[in-house]
Amino acid sequence: MTDTKERIAIYPGSFDPLTNGHLDVIKRAQDIFDKVVVAVLHNPSKTGLFTVNERVSMIEDSLNGNPQIEVDTFDGLLVEYARIKKAVAVIRGMRAISDFESEFQMALMNRKLNKDVQSVFLMTGLRWIFTSSSIIKEAAQFGGDISDMVPEPVKIKLMEKFPLLNC
Ligand code: PNS
């Protein structure tokens, strides 16, 4: 019998801001799942460089209205959000071994909390293996050229935040 159920995956994160590495993971996830929900964590106790609304707008602008992808925000437990969204999986990008320990711990906790949601790790393209939102923000702050590491809408926003940045 054919399984006609839509397979939904959540791609959660801070996305402060979205990078080309994140976009690469989203593209790979699209090949496996029918729908990918990019979910920005709304954490009132942690202020980022960008507001949650700014992050959502940058992601939407970078995805060009792709119907297979939904951009949303969540707070509280990720697995609870996944249950509400009827997701079968949580996607996380895995760059280097340094990511492994914390990701493994989070995946095991998530499984303990909800065994019906699988953690799926996707390896980013080699090109993006060293990129992260934090290192890009740090370089941008001091005028470092990060133009090929972030999508255009993010680059524009970073230039607004950091007057030194001119790429
Ligand atoms: O981009 P990040 O900051 O690495 O993303 C971390 C995120 C948002 C995936 C993680 O902090 C999270 O899932 N937070 C929600 C609370 C939760 O469910 N934590 C995991 C179980 S303790």
Side-chain angles (χ1 to χ4, degrees), residues 12-15 41 46 74 76-79 92 106 109-110 113:
S14 305
F15 303 106
L41 175 68
K46 203 174 141 195
F74 78 104
L77 276 183
L78 173 60
V79 287
R92 293 289 286 168
M106 195 160 70
M109 177 55 99
N110 284 340
L113 296 172

Side-chain angles (χ1 to χ4, degrees), residues 11-16 22 39-43 46 74-80 90-92 95 103 105-107 109-110 113 133:
Y11 181 33
S14 305
F15 303 106
D16 185 35
H22 292 132
V40 181
L41 175 68
H42 181 70
N43 183 354
K46 203 174 141 195
F74 78 104
D75 55 19
L77 276 183
L78 173 60
V79 287
E80 182 52 21
V90 164
I91 303 285
R92 293 289 286 168
R95 286 163 306 186
E103 292 297 336
Q105 193 179 28
M106 195 160 70
M109 177 55 99
N110 284 340
L113 296 172
S133 301

Side-chain angles (χ1 to χ4, degrees), residues 41-74:
L41 175 68
H42 181 70
N43 183 354
S45 63
K46 203 174 141 195
T47 50
L49 174 65
F50 294 102
T51 66
V52 168
N53 285 346
E54 283 176 315
R55 295 179 214 177
V56 167
S57 300
M58 283 185 283
I59 299 170
E60 283 172 344
D61 293 347
S62 305
L63 292 171
N64 299 320
N66 185 327
Q68 204 190 334
I69 303 169
E70 177 187 333
V71 186
D72 194 14
T73 63
F74 78 104

